[in-house]
Amino acid sequence: MNDSSARQSTRIWLGVTVLGLVTIVLVAFWVLNNRAAAPEASTPAQSEGAAPAPETATAAPAQTEAPQSAGQADSQATGEENAEAAGTENGENTQASNAPAAEVAASAAPSTETYKGIPVGFTEEGYPYRGALDAPLVMMEYSDYQCPFCNRYFVQTEPAIDESYVRTGQLRVIFRDFPLAELHPNAPAAHEASLCIADQGSAALYWEMHAQLFRTVEEWSQLPDPQSFFTRLAEEIGSDVEAFQACMEAGTHAPEVQAGVAEARQKGFSGTPSFEFLRVADGVTHKLVGAQPFDQFAGVIEALLAGETPAPPEQQAQQQGDDQGIPYWATAEGLQPDPERPGYDLAGDQYRGDPNAAVKVIEFSDFQCPYCRRHVQQTQPTLDEQYVETGKVQWVFKHFPLSIHPQAPAAGVASECAAEQGKFWEMHDLIFQNVEAWSINEPNPVFIDLATQLELDPDAFAACLEDEEMHARVQSDMNDGAPYVRGTPTFIVLYGNQGTVIPGALPVESFTEILDEALSNAQAN
């Protein structure tokens, strides 16, 4: 099963059997592509006036990522998709039987290859796996090479799972392609690149390409066309470059990648990463959504190995500690009001709306970013009216001034100084309204003038602008966002134990769809 001809024959069979599913996916993509423009965002590498690239975030607190698209049941559903977190919960009910999963688990062909000392190969369908063929558990991993949460899982959790369960012969992992093209436009090509490497017959070579795609995501995720970068990776890992290029140019695996997306959605997954466990002996399956900490994976695996039913998501949270592995500023506690500092939550961030709202939006923004300004002036008023002021959404602001905007940190400090006098949001709006006025070498006099317009104490405000604590607040937000934010604006939508990242300034219609889906999922759960 490791030779190219065998994989080609299985692809032909697979293409026929999933034709109906692919058609459904293509219809969904048509709806999406005809619905709204892509998000716009400023990125550190972008010069002013250049066309923005879609933003990606890494390791998000919501733990899964997902796009929003019409007709999908998660907001992309993960929750937005999340269910990408979202059409599904962080731990689905265990099912007594799953014939398709069982068939896939039993279909792997023997292989003599290893990768880092672990057996690797391809299933009869051509899906890459790692781990012993006779492992009592199989884990289907539905992932996206450009998804920050998937990358977080790859870096932080996967090595421990491999060492504890895969290398010991207790778990076999089968990787499935689930690129969220709406959020990650370069992801489908990355998945095609990995499959073009698989075509060369070596599972070990595939897994090396797989690893390189995750390790280099920050380099290829923002490229207008990542093809040449993927070719370079193919050369570096020692593959047949000419065969790789021919495969990519022909788009050989595009249908296969889309079939993976359709399969994931058919299983109820809407966000990445998502996992389905199968106990081979009796066909019992269990789903887990998001880049959960290792302990949560271990709890599921140990229960299944023991012939038991894994604890429901709520019980797992109680056993392992709520919000484990999630940054404090994205936890239920951190988002609660600070009784000693009106307008701030306990994590030290300014917020608007009901702190008990079912949905939370954490905005990472840059006062000098044109796309942030567009969002504030064109989209935010509608979101405030429909969601924030009605108590449906708690809206949290965090600073993320980019290096291409030299006065943005000072603007962040000015907003924090206004907050000291109880007028953060008023200053927030004035700063965005007057970007041209303060985008100069010495912006503080302009900020003091804006403070005067808001009837703040000008002397206290001016002294505050020099206060190192205020500068530290802005830098602290930068540090908080660094693992997740690649450009501005970036929004993290949280509900329950799920969430999603919105990388860029979406049109109001698209944003409201995402929030409506999140509210619906929050109520359902």
Side-chain angles (χ1 to χ4, degrees):
M1 260 328 285
N2 292 341
D3 61 276
S4 178
S5 61
R7 282 183 51 81
Q8 180 65 24
S9 64
T10 57
R11 280 198 305 277
I12 294 173
W13 174 83
L14 180 63
V16 174
T17 60
V18 302
L19 180 58
L21 290 176
V22 173
T23 301
I24 293 172
V25 174
L26 292 176
V27 170
F29 282 174
W30 182 90
V31 172
L32 178 69
N33 292 333
N34 287 272
R35 184 193 62 186
E40 294 183 305
S42 287
T43 65
Q46 175 184 331
S47 59
E48 286 300 331
E55 284 297 316
T56 63
T58 73
Q63 313 251 335
T64 61
E65 196 179 12
Q68 169 70 22
S69 87
Q72 293 174 0
D74 54 85
S75 77
Q76 146 160 170
T78 191
E80 172 218 296
E81 211 240 91
N82 248 319
E84 162 152 261
T88 63
E89 253 183 55
N90 268 1
E92 298 259 335
N93 292 335
T94 301
Q95 299 178 3
S97 176
N98 188 318
E103 291 174 4
V104 170
S107 67
S111 172
T112 58
E113 282 194 278
T114 62
Y115 178 70
K116 295 186 176 179
I118 294 175
V120 293
F122 298 105
T123 69
E124 294 294 338
E125 297 80 8
Y127 309 153
Y129 72 81
R130 66 179 189 277
L133 284 178
D134 60 352
L137 292 183
V138 173
M139 182 178 77
M140 304 283 287
E141 174 186 350
Y142 294 85
S143 189
D144 174 329
Y145 285 119
Q146 200 173 344
C147 158
F149 308 118
C150 303
N151 195 284
R152 174 180 181 176
Y153 167 81
F154 171 78
V155 172
Q156 298 181 4
T157 307
E158 182 179 289
I161 291 176
D162 281 352
E163 290 303 313
S164 299
Y165 299 105
V166 179
R167 191 178 297 279
T168 58
Q170 300 174 86
L171 178 72
R172 181 159 58 95
V173 178
I174 298 175
F175 186 85
R176 300 295 290 119
D177 303 292
F178 189 18
L180 307 178
E182 300 90 331
L183 282 180
H184 307 138
N186 285 349
H191 285 265
E192 291 180 42
S194 71
L195 296 177
C196 283
I197 293 296
D199 269 355
Q200 299 188 23
S202 169
L205 200 62
Y206 165 86
W207 285 107
E208 180 59 25
M209 184 66 165
H210 170 94
Q212 290 302 323
L213 288 169
F214 272 126
R215 290 168 184 156
T216 61
V217 61
E218 292 190 9
E219 298 178 61
W220 57 261
S221 61
Q222 300 297 331
L223 297 176
D225 181 359
Q227 173 66 54
S228 60
F229 187 90
F230 295 152
T231 300
R232 192 189 84 191
L233 290 183
E235 182 177 8
E236 289 176 354
I237 66 172
S239 72
D240 182 331
V241 175
E242 290 186 3
F244 174 82
Q245 289 178 312
C247 177
M248 291 294 289
E249 290 171 3
T252 303
H253 292 288
E256 189 172 342
V257 170
Q258 293 310 316
V261 174
E263 177 187 309
R265 289 176 177 159
Q266 184 182 43
K267 289 177 178 288
F269 293 134
S270 55
T272 51
S274 292
F275 306 86
E276 182 178 41
F277 294 87
L278 168 72
R279 188 160 58 208
V280 177
D282 55 11
V284 165
T285 63
H286 185 85
K287 294 177 182 176
L288 189 65
V289 173
Q292 304 299 327
F294 170 74
D295 288 348
Q296 188 154 340
F297 279 91
V300 171
I301 294 171
E302 293 291 349
L304 290 171
L305 287 172
E308 301 170 354
T309 299
E314 320 82 58
Q315 190 174 338
Q316 289 173 358
Q318 294 172 1
Q319 292 172 349
Q320 299 170 11
D322 292 340
D323 299 321
Q324 181 175 354
I326 299 177
Y328 183 68
W329 48 267
T331 64
E333 179 183 352
L335 290 164
Q336 288 300 302
D338 186 339
E340 298 181 1
R341 303 172 67 203
Y344 285 93
D345 62 22
L346 288 174
D349 300 316
Q350 281 284 326
Y351 75 90
R352 291 185 290 187
D354 185 353
N356 295 315
V359 173
K360 321 284 187 178
V361 177
I362 301 173
E363 173 187 1
F364 284 86
S365 188
D366 174 327
F367 283 112
Q368 210 168 356
C369 156
Y371 309 114
C372 302
R373 183 183 190 183
R374 178 183 302 173
H375 169 84
V376 166
Q377 296 180 341
Q378 297 182 11
T379 303
Q380 192 65 46
T382 299
L383 303 183
D384 285 343
E385 179 182 356
Q386 295 184 13
Y387 301 98
V388 179
E389 294 169 6
T390 59
K392 297 178 180 178
V393 170
Q394 178 188 8
W395 198 279
V396 179
F397 183 91
K398 292 183 78 67
H399 303 280
F400 202 80
L402 302 177
S403 59
I404 59 173
H405 301 141
Q407 287 79 38
V413 169
S415 70
E416 290 294 332
C417 288
E420 289 295 294
Q421 299 188 44
K423 291 192 175 180
F424 172 86
W425 294 105
E426 293 85 348
M427 180 61 84
H428 165 278
D429 293 346
L430 274 183
I431 289 174
F432 274 119
Q433 290 169 17
N434 295 275
V435 172
E436 293 80 5
W438 56 263
S439 294
I440 55 178
N441 289 336
E442 297 294 335
N444 280 358
V446 179
F447 296 141
I448 293 172
D449 180 63
L450 297 181
T452 302
Q453 294 179 37
L454 294 175
E455 299 182 349
L456 303 181
D457 180 331
D459 293 335
F461 182 84
C464 181
L465 293 178
E466 307 301 327
D467 189 339
E468 289 301 319
E469 180 185 347
M470 300 300 113
H471 292 264
R473 288 184 190 177
V474 175
Q475 184 59 48
S476 177
D477 280 356
M478 283 286 291
N479 296 341
D480 289 344
Y484 316 111
V485 180
R486 290 294 173 271
T488 54
T490 290
F491 307 89
I492 298 177
V493 182
L494 304 174
Y495 56 94
N497 291 324
Q498 303 179 33
T500 188
V501 173
I502 302 175
L506 286 174
V508 65
E509 297 84 2
S510 300
F511 217 126
T512 57
E513 286 185 26
I514 291 174
L515 293 182
D516 286 341
E517 188 69 33
L519 286 165
S520 176
N521 287 330
Q523 292 171 359
N525 294 327

